[in-house]
Amino acid sequence: MKGEQIPHKMLSQDAFSTWMGIEIIESEIGRVKIGMTIRKEMLNSMNYAHGGVSYTLADTAFGFTSNTHGKYAVSIETSINHIEALEEGDYLVAECIIEKVNNKLGFNIVEVKRGEELVALFKGVVYRTQKQWEE
């Protein structure tokens, strides 16, 4: 399976990301950009987006990008910095770029933006299995 097609297959099998309203904007080997709009049911008790919303968007971009090399890749460590509060109606875009990849590990950075404003920064490490993605 071509690497840039893998995120589309992954999204088609991902009920949670579909519920979140995540859409693929761009997909290529080593880089994926996705987006979503914050809905009312994603707000916390302070009427801001729950931190898990931007984390989920970033983690999804991370997972999609990590798999574009054709092997199943699974998360082994992640972290996020929440920089700005987010509100209902905000449209977020997460872009993930593989910073380094070797035979067994991949190191990725994800920027989450609202327009041009950086609102979260996510870092992750994946373990690259030997299992190949198939059509």
Side-chain angles (χ1 to χ4, degrees):
M1 171 172 255
K2 292 183 179 179
E4 63 274 5
Q5 295 172 336
I6 293 169
H8 295 278
K9 180 173 184 173
M10 293 175 75
L11 183 58
S12 75
Q13 299 173 352
D14 185 338
F16 185 64
S17 293
T18 300
W19 177 84
M20 291 285 292
I22 293 173
E23 59 186 359
I24 296 172
I25 299 168
E26 296 175 18
S27 176
E28 61 187 68
I29 295 172
R31 188 182 76 83
V32 172
K33 186 185 285 190
I34 61 177
M36 62 162 284
T37 301
I38 296 173
R39 301 188 312 267
K40 184 173 181 59
E41 61 268 24
M42 298 173 177
L43 303 181
N44 63 22
S45 60
M46 293 176 278
N47 214 34
Y48 291 109
H50 188 283
V53 174
S54 55
Y55 181 91
T56 296
L57 182 66
D59 188 53
T60 301
F62 166 59
F64 287 175
T65 305
S66 298
N67 281 273
T68 60
H69 284 285
K71 292 182 180 179
Y72 276 54
V74 294
S75 170
I76 58 174
E77 182 180 7
T78 63
S79 65
I80 192 166
N81 300 104
H82 299 283
I83 301 166
E84 298 292 338
L86 304 169
E87 300 177 344
E88 181 180 357
D90 285 350
Y91 185 76
L92 304 179
V93 173
E95 182 174 10
C96 181
I97 298 173
I98 295 177
E99 294 293 323
K100 172 141 176 80
V101 66
N102 61 33
N103 191 41
K104 300 217 180 208
L105 298 175
F107 301 87
N108 302 11
I109 302 289
V110 183
E111 289 186 347
V112 180
K113 293 183 176 182
R114 174 177 51 201
E116 295 299 315
E117 178 184 25
L118 184 67
V119 297
L121 186 62
F122 177 104
K123 298 171 282 302
V125 180
V126 293
Y127 174 75
R128 301 177 70 228
T129 72
Q130 294 305 308
K131 184 175 179 180
Q132 296 286 330
W133 277 94
E134 298 176 8
E135 307 239 5

